[in-house]
Structures are given as structure tokens and as C-alpha cells.
Amino acid sequence: MSQPLANRLPRRRWLRWGALAAVVLIPLAFAGLFVSALANSDKALDRIPAAIVNQDTLVYSTAPDGTKSPVFAGRQLVTELTGGSAGFDWTITNEKAAKKALADGSVYAILTVPKNFSTSILSLSTNSPKQAKLAIKTDDAHSYLTGALAQSVGDGMANTFGKAVTAQYISGLYSSMGKIGGAFSSAADGASQLSDGVGKYTAGVDSLASGLGSLKSGASKLTQLSGGVATYTDGVSQLAQALAQANAGLQAEPTNPVALATVNALSAKLSQAAAGGATLSQQATAGIGGIQGGISKSATGAAQLAAGSAGLNQGASSLASGLQTGAAQLPAADSSAAAASAKVASNPVAVTVSHDNRISKIGQVIATFFVPLGLWIGALAVFLVLRPVTRRALSSTAANGRLVFSALARACAVTVAQALLLVALLHLALGVSWSALPATLGFSVLAALAFTAFHYLLTIGLGRAGLVVSLFVLAVQVTSTGGLYPIELLAAPFQWVSPLMPLTYGVQGMQGILAGGDPGAMLGAAAALLAFGAGSVLVALLAIRRTRRTQALLVPAAIA
């Protein structure tokens, strides 16, 4: 009977060496698993589920020619996001469904596009520009770091979409510049026509002035003519009267030499007066000719004025129309309005990130992970000190259930004390509200009992090697639990393992309690821990039965 024992000694030696090798690998397991799980996390943002609620309404833009074009910027943004162009794994839904999904953790963020989004985008080309607003909401009860990720994604999204809006705005400016150029070209044509009209008008004025000068000169000659005619008429009248008197005297005395001489002298003067009539006639002709020439030039100048007037009217109309059209294309000259337009154009889209169930203190954020972690390590430490069962107990007649529950009672007394200390730390040092004490205490005690039962199972089934297994399981859990960050950032194998790990539910429940999240999620985490602890106890009952059978075989062999 001694031979079987001798055969078992080498086997125990190999187990010891295997346990030592496992201990050597523990640090590598922690670091290696963490590195492998998060190695490509920077490229995994598009795996994080998020919801889009598009409340934007369709608006129309009106071109200067009256043509209307539809503007639906919200739909364009949603199309780009769901096409995988930015950040999360976006799903379009309504507001009610999005809130429910965020509360139960189905999505980590909600992007809301407001109903005035297109109107704000369109306002950039007006004198009252408004920045377009987007809102992202996250929930700290599921993942604290999602808020930071959402801010980063939101800023990138606003930057990308904002650049497109700014590009369209600048393109519109250049288009407007072209229209302004066309309008001012029309104004220039009008100015040219106006210049031609002014030239003609000026020539007409000059011609009219010349004609009026000639008319004035002719009129002055008429004044002289009028004086000459009056003098000539008076002279002829006097000569005629004197000649009539002299002729009457000559008729009375035909031989009177004085009367004859007088008649002859008057006749000579009358002949001279007749010669002056010819001169007067020439003067009259010259004066009338000057007047006619002045009238002709005046008429020509008036015609030129009339022709220039039409050109002036047409040129002035073209100039006014071109200037008015160009002015309509120009932005407001007000400096404050120009500054506002420049500010909005440089950053046309803004994103605000808000948090449901916000955890404001970093200590509480850390506690959501390290309290369950501390309870796990505490349960492990208990079984470094306490033996799960003694050989004497194994060889006794006590029932398996009694042995299991007796050992668990001793271990749970210690781990419950650990839970009480951690809960006191939460409320006294980290500022957790005392109103949450029933939840924090109850959940911590439940987690401590579940973890204790699991470690009892490991040690009763595997001996001290079970504690090494616990460390490897802890390495996997630390990496795959999530809580602080979405598990979608992890490599696929860790995402599959996460729902199977008890620490996952410990972190979820504690995070929900501290953040004040959905009670259903917290109750679900508590139910999972309860099932995990109860399952560990049931398997431990089977394990101790096997251990007692093995012990029964070893004792006779050792005696032999």
C-alpha cells in the first residue's frame, strides 16, 4: 500500500512546481491581459452604441432671383454619422426610446439635433447669425469615461461639420462677390452711358449758349436799327414838310430865286435821305440775319440737350439699378454685426455634453470600481489565513452541508466586517450621501458573501492553488469589467467574458447606487451576485464530497 503514496509524491512535486510557475506568471497576466484588451481601443470608438434623436425641421432658403431651395442640415448630419464618419455606433431613434436605452445601458450617449438646427445654419448668411447647437447626454451610472469620450467625439463632429458649413458660407461669399461684380458692372455701364449723355448735354449747352449769344448780338443791332429808323423817319418827315412849304412859295412866285434855291436844296437833302434808307436797309438785314442765326444755333443746342437728356436718364437709371443690386449683396456695414458673423462663421456648430446621474467627485468614481475589487481581494485574503476545512473535519461524521456552512460562516464574518469598513469609507471619507447607506451596505455585504463563497469553492476544490486561480480570474476581471469605460472599447474576447464575471456585476451595482441610476439595473446586478454566490455554494457541496472521498483514500494509504 506504500507504493501508491510513493507514486503520488512526484505528482505533488509537479503540482508544486506548476503552482510556482503560475505565481511567476501572475504579474504578466495582469499587465498582458490589460494591454491586449485595450491595445486597439483608440480605433474602437465606432463600437460604442449611441442614439441619435433628430428633431430638426425642414426650412427653405430664398435666392435673390426668388428661387427656393430646401435646407435640412439635421438629416445631412445624421446621414454622415450613421455612415460611420464620426465616433460612436449611431442608431436613429425617437426621444422616448433613447431615454429608455440610456437609462438601461443599451446606449452610452444620446445626440439630440434641435428643431432649429437648419434655421441656425441658414442664419449664417443673414445679418443675424446664430450658432447651431447640438446636445449629447451620457449617464455616469453606466460608464464614467463615456462623458469624456462623448466630448471628444462631439468636438470632432462639430469641427468636421462646422468646416463644411464654413466652406459653404465662404463659397456663398464668393458667389455673392460675383453677383456684386455683375451689379457694379451694370452700374459702370450706366455710368458710361451717363457720361456720354453728359457730353452730349454739355455740347448742347455750349451750342445753345453760342446761339443765345448770336441772338443777343443780333438783338443789340436791332436796337441800333430801331434808333436809326426813328431818326431817318423824323428827318424824312421834316424834309418833306420843308419841301412842301418851299414848293408852295415857288408856285406863288415862280421867278423867285430864293424859293427856287430852297426847293433845290431840299430836294438834294431828300436824295441824301434816300441814300441813308439803303444803309438802314442793310443794317436791318444784318440784324435780322444775326437773330435768325442765333435762333438756329439755339434750336440746334436745344436738340442736343434733348438727346443728351435721354442718355442721362438711361445712364442714371442703369447706375442706380446696379448700385442698388450691389448694395443688396453686401453684408451689413455695422461693425458689431460683422464681428458676430465672423465669430459664428469660425465656429458655426457647438456641442454641449451633459450627464444624467452625474458623479462629481473623483473619489466616488474610483470607489465604484475599487470597492468591489477590495471585497474580492478581501475574500482571497481570508482564505490565505483560514483553511476551508481541516482534515479532522473531513474525517468526521458531520454532514457535508454542515462543514460547508460552518466554514463559510467563519469566513463571511471577516468579509462582512471588511464590507462594513469599506461602506464607512464611502460615506465618511468620500462624501457619499447617508441616504444611500441601506443600498451601499446591503449591496456590499451581498458582494462580500458571493465572493467569499466563490473563494471557498476554489480552495475546497483546488486547495491553495485555488487562490492562484483567483488571481488569474481577477486579472481577467480587472480588464473586462468595464464600468469606468465602455466594454465595447475592449477586444472581442474580453467583451464576451465580461457578462460571466462576478466583478462586472459588483461594479455595475455599486456604480448605479453611487450615481443614482436605474433601480432595475442595480437589482439585476444584485440578482446576478446572489445567483453567483448560491451557485458557488452548491458546487462547493459537490466539491467537499469529492474532497472527503479523496481524503478517505489517502488516510489508509498513509497508515499502510
Side-chain angles (χ1 to χ4, degrees), residues 408-418 449:
L408 281 175
R410 293 194 303 271
C412 287
V414 178
T415 54
V416 168
Q418 294 172 344
L449 295 176

Side-chain angles (χ1 to χ4, degrees), residues 44-342:
L45 286 178
D46 57 357
R47 294 201 298 261
I48 298 176
I52 299 178
V53 178
N54 184 17
Q55 299 175 339
D56 189 27
T57 55
L58 177 67
V59 295
Y60 289 88
S61 65
T62 304
D65 61 358
T67 304
K68 292 187 175 182
S69 303
V71 177
F72 204 179
R75 176 178 292 178
Q76 180 182 352
L77 175 63
V78 169
T79 301
E80 291 182 5
L81 293 179
T82 54
S85 62
F88 300 154
D89 180 16
W90 299 101
T91 301
I92 304 173
T93 185
N94 57 55
E95 184 176 9
K96 182 178 180 181
K99 288 182 177 179
K100 181 178 182 299
L102 183 63
D104 62 25
S106 301
V107 299
Y108 289 93
I110 301 173
L111 170 65
T112 301
V113 183
K115 62 181 180 180
N116 64 340
F117 186 70
S118 291
T119 303
S120 299
I121 294 294
L122 200 59
S123 72
L124 190 58
S125 59
T126 68
N127 292 331
S128 300
K130 295 180 181 178
Q131 191 177 49
K133 304 287 187 180
L134 295 172
I136 296 179
K137 180 175 287 187
T138 62
D139 193 339
D140 286 357
H142 302 299
S143 173
Y144 174 76
L145 292 181
T146 300
L149 293 174
Q151 184 69 62
S152 176
V153 169
D155 290 343
M157 175 176 58
N159 184 49
T160 301
F161 194 75
K163 283 183 178 179
V165 173
T166 302
Q168 292 178 358
Y169 173 68
I170 294 175
S171 175
L173 281 181
Y174 277 111
S175 176
S176 296
M177 289 297 183
K179 293 177 180 178
I180 292 172
F184 285 157
S185 177
S186 298
D189 292 340
S192 178
Q193 292 175 351
L194 186 61
S195 176
D196 293 340
V198 169
K200 293 179 180 179
Y201 185 82
T202 303
V205 169
D206 291 342
S207 178
L208 179 60
S210 177
L212 290 176
S214 299
L215 187 61
K216 179 179 179 181
S217 177
S220 64
K221 291 180 180 180
L222 286 179
T223 301
Q224 295 175 357
L225 179 63
S226 175
V229 169
T231 302
Y232 178 80
T233 303
D234 290 342
V236 171
S237 177
Q238 290 175 0
L239 284 175
Q241 184 177 2
L243 183 61
Q245 291 177 356
N247 185 51
L250 183 59
Q251 291 294 329
E253 295 179 13
T255 62
N256 187 346
V258 176
L260 180 60
T262 300
V263 170
N264 290 334
L266 290 174
S267 297
K269 288 183 179 179
L270 186 60
S271 298
Q272 292 176 353
T279 302
L280 184 62
S281 175
Q282 292 176 355
Q283 291 177 347
T285 302
I288 292 172
I291 292 173
Q292 290 177 340
I295 292 172
S296 176
K297 290 182 179 179
S298 297
T300 302
Q304 290 177 343
L305 283 176
S309 175
L312 283 174
N313 289 334
Q314 183 177 358
S317 177
S318 298
L319 178 62
S321 177
L323 291 175
Q324 184 177 7
T325 303
Q329 300 294 329
L330 290 172
D334 183 72
S335 59
S336 60
S341 297

